[in-house]
Amino acid sequence: MLASWLQDPARDRPVVLLTVAAGHPVPFADADAIVEAVGGLATVVVLPTSRLSWAFSAAMPAGTQVYGGAARVYPAGDVWQADPRVARLRFAYSPADRDKVTDRLVRDVFQAVTGDKPPALGATRPEHGVVQALIGSRALVRLDNGELASVWEELTVPGVPLDRVLVAMQEVSGGYDPVSRRLDLRTALQHDDPQAAHARLAAAYRTADIALADVTAVDADSVTLRPLPGITVTVSRAEVTANPDDLLHDLFTVGEVVTARIAFTKSGELSLDLNLAGDEQPATAPSLLPGGPAWLTPPDIRPPVPPNPCGPSAASAAAAAVPAATPAASVPHPRDATPALLAHRPPTHPALAAERALREALEQDLDALRGHTADLGADLARAQLRIQDLQTRYRRADLARQQAQRQLRAERRDQPESDQPLFADPDQQFRHDVYIEWARRVPAAEKPHRPLADYHLGTEFLASLEAIEGVTRAKVIAVIVEVLTGQVHHLPARDAHQLRTGSAGSPYVIRADGATCWRVALQRNAPAARRLHYWRKGDTYELSRVVVHDDVRP
């Protein structure tokens, strides 16, 4: 039995289970294309919607069934039985969804077999060709020798759709596997080489250019941006908004494309400034391969279209686009049949008629549920677009407010505020800045629970802060407030850890008075990323130095 076989822990390969929706002859997914794409990696099974499919559903663990045109990839083993999310349910509502659901199922097989990595290629040879067409996550390439090859999205840049890497009629070169007929472009992309990525970025932008970047991670206090695969820059909350009530995960969404101002230090280090005026236009993003498209395009922020409660659902509209079979002219409709003709019909067993009526009713309910699900999906897409629109509008409004405040302060004084320290003593000025950042950042109700710890300034601290390049004083102060309030240990981006005397496993650095040295990230994923060193003994801190990544002296 199919259900027993799927639940067998000894099953050693994934199974792609495709179901056939009522009234359709074949699955919405392309079974032949899946077999061709995954080769011998998985078994493909087609299950029609019938009494058999309901029996199968009854025999499967809760949350792991599939029917009505949907599909699943069941990984080998039995982990998916306890966690159905491992075998994700893929919906399709009409033949119009064929390419999309087929592509998703192929990816699910790769994930089940190799953890998101594509299967290894065999022996390859260098080949050059021209992209003929893109179909979902695959591209067709005509090689110079006349052979046809395919490029798989999984053999390019992880997490980047193929249409951001390739375009029709683009020339490409890579390693060709004649057995699988796949062309591997990863060597040309060099997305895993940070040095090459930084060189490409420096060639594409100059200081003060407006660039596009996508959001790869976000939490309450930091957002990580990717201006180019292989390069990420983490921006703190203090660098984004002056409102202490703002949390960055309310302002940004992973995958969102934003604009930022590029800045390079004298040593070539990169920083990104998100505080831009609303009318500043970004430069065209670089291509990931010669002749390719821009790897990012500006966000398409349009007013959402309200749903039409009286209109047809997406599912019913799609179904209406599929022409229905025309009955033969010689077969009369029952309402047009003569009593004599009806009298010659074989009698229908009452139980069979009741079962048929029940099945038809269930199929109608299923069609209604499909339509409702499609409508909900459309509403969700509109809501997500609206959220991104509101996030962008809020960031621009907050920036305008900050600019107005700065202009007002400038009008009241002869010099900008940054040129007028409030204290002649640098130690007093620094402590004032830390206190102001704490007062601004920590809400009033939380201040009794998140006080600033006692701290001292080491003999080298202020000099190292003044000398360091590539990180702003405001960011250093913001991180110090995170340290002194204990928040730093809840922020993975800060990577707070005790400094060791040598390699991993060596003793921690401990001073004669018993204080331990700690190291906190001010930047991530950048050459010579800046770090903060400080000593801690009990509840007392001593700020030691601001250093570059390779400087491990306490």
Side-chain angles (χ1 to χ4, degrees):
M1 185 177 179
L2 177 60
S4 299
W5 175 55
L6 287 177
Q7 296 175 63
D8 184 355
R11 180 171 54 82
D12 60 358
R13 58 190 285 167
V15 174
V16 184
L17 184 54
L18 311 176
T19 64
V20 180
H24 291 268
V26 295
F28 292 138
D30 189 335
D32 292 336
I34 295 173
V35 171
E36 181 179 356
V38 304
L41 297 175
T43 301
V44 179
V45 177
V46 176
L47 180 67
T49 296
S50 63
R51 185 179 303 174
L52 177 64
S53 64
W54 299 116
F56 166 76
S57 297
M60 292 292 287
T64 67
Q65 300 93 338
V66 58
Y67 48 82
R72 281 188 195 268
V73 173
Y74 295 93
D78 58 0
V79 174
W80 57 271
Q81 298 180 42
D83 185 3
R85 293 174 299 177
V86 176
R88 295 186 61 183
L89 186 62
R90 298 300 187 183
F91 290 101
Y93 305 106
S94 76
D97 296 326
R98 180 174 299 273
D99 291 342
K100 179 176 66 175
V101 71
T102 300
D103 179 61
R104 287 178 175 174
L105 291 169
V106 170
R107 295 189 196 188
D108 288 346
V109 171
F110 290 150
Q111 182 174 5
V113 174
T114 59
D116 265 339
K117 296 179 181 178
L121 295 176
T124 62
R125 65 174 187 255
E127 287 288 355
H128 174 273
V130 177
V131 177
Q132 302 297 302
L134 277 79
I135 306 172
S137 63
R138 303 290 181 262
L140 187 66
V141 177
R142 175 76 67 179
L143 302 180
D144 290 347
N145 62 10
E147 294 183 52
L148 287 175
S150 63
V151 175
W152 291 15
E153 185 175 292
E154 295 83 2
L155 292 176
T156 55
V157 184
V160 177
L162 193 60
D163 59 4
R164 295 189 190 175
V165 180
L166 299 175
V167 68
M169 304 310 297
Q170 178 182 349
E171 296 187 18
V172 293
S173 298
Y176 175 61
D177 176 7
V179 176
S180 64
R181 294 173 33 177
R182 287 176 293 195
L183 189 65
D184 185 353
L185 304 178
R186 287 174 292 185
T187 301
L189 287 160
Q190 297 181 327
H191 61 272
D192 290 329
D193 185 348
Q195 185 174 359
H198 277 272
R200 290 200 304 274
L201 192 76
Y205 299 111
R206 295 175 297 176
T207 293
D209 279 353
I210 308 300
L212 295 171
D214 64 353
V215 177
T216 61
V218 63
D219 56 30
D221 294 294
S222 65
V223 57
T224 302
L225 307 175
R226 180 174 61 167
L228 196 66
I231 303 175
T232 56
V233 177
T234 300
V235 181
S236 71
R237 181 166 61 161
E239 297 173 277
V240 176
T241 175
N243 187 344
D245 295 328
D246 282 343
L247 301 177
L248 295 191
H249 53 49
D250 292 333
L251 303 183
F252 297 91
T253 304
V254 171
E256 177 186 3
V257 177
V258 300
T259 54
R261 190 181 304 279
I262 291 280
F264 296 101
T265 66
K266 294 179 180 178
S267 57
E269 302 304 323
L270 169 69
S271 66
L272 296 176
D273 181 5
L274 289 167
N275 292 321
L276 307 178
D279 57 351
E280 296 185 87
Q281 297 300 312
T284 301
S287 302
L288 300 183
L289 283 173
W295 92 277
L296 287 179
T297 55
D300 184 13
I301 302 297
R302 294 169 294 179
V305 179
N308 179 7
C310 300
S313 68
S316 60
V322 182
T326 302
S330 60
V331 180
H333 192 277
R335 67 170 177 265
D336 301 323
T338 64
L341 180 61
L342 292 176
H344 285 85
R345 288 188 173 182
T348 301
H349 193 281
L352 182 59
E355 181 180 346
R356 183 183 296 119
L358 177 61
R359 184 178 63 186
E360 291 176 353
L362 290 173
E363 289 175 354
Q364 290 175 358
D365 289 344
L366 183 59
D367 287 340
L369 287 174
R370 285 200 194 103
H372 183 58
T373 302
D375 289 340
L376 290 177
D379 290 345
L380 177 60
R382 285 189 288 265
Q384 290 172 333
L385 184 64
R386 180 61 175 166
I387 288 171
Q388 290 191 12
D389 183 23
L390 292 175
Q391 288 173 332
T392 301
R393 291 174 183 270
Y394 177 84
R395 292 198 301 268
R396 290 176 177 174
D398 184 64
L399 173 61
R401 179 182 59 80
Q402 294 180 53
Q403 291 173 334
Q405 288 178 337
R406 287 195 293 268
Q407 182 177 358
L408 180 61
R409 288 195 297 265
E411 292 174 353
R412 291 176 176 175
R413 293 175 295 190
D414 294 331
Q415 294 181 332
E417 182 181 18
S418 58
D419 294 341
Q420 290 187 340
L422 301 178
F423 297 91
D425 183 352
D427 187 308
Q428 290 181 318
Q429 180 64 44
F430 179 81
R431 291 180 178 277
H432 168 76
D433 293 342
V434 169
Y435 180 82
I436 292 298
E437 172 65 14
W438 171 79
R440 183 194 63 78
R441 187 167 185 168
V442 178
E446 296 182 24
K447 282 184 168 62
H449 309 291
R450 292 171 58 187
L452 280 173
D454 292 334
Y455 70 98
H456 308 286
L457 302 185
T459 56
E460 298 181 65
F461 177 74
L462 289 177
S464 69
L465 177 60
E466 184 68 24
I468 198 73
E469 289 186 348
V471 64
T472 64
R473 177 186 174 98
K475 182 166 186 176
V476 175
I477 291 173
V479 174
I480 286 172
V481 169
E482 294 171 356
V483 169
L484 298 180
T485 58
Q487 188 181 12
V488 70
H489 298 291
H490 304 289
L491 302 174
R494 294 289 167 250
D495 189 26
H497 62 277
Q498 289 183 254
L499 192 65
R500 294 183 182 272
T501 57
S503 58
S506 59
Y508 294 121
V509 176
I510 302 177
R511 208 164 51 183
D513 63 355
T516 57
C517 187
W518 287 74
R519 181 175 168 94
V520 172
L522 297 170
Q523 298 170 321
R524 300 290 299 275
N525 301 319
R530 277 61 177 174
R531 298 290 187 265
L532 169 68
H533 288 177
Y534 64 90
W535 297 94
R536 180 176 180 181
K537 183 179 180 182
D539 294 330
T540 302
Y541 297 77
E542 179 182 313
L543 305 179
S544 179
R545 295 191 307 139
V546 182
V547 300
V548 295
H549 178 274
D550 294 337
D551 187 345
V552 294
R553 181 171 66 87

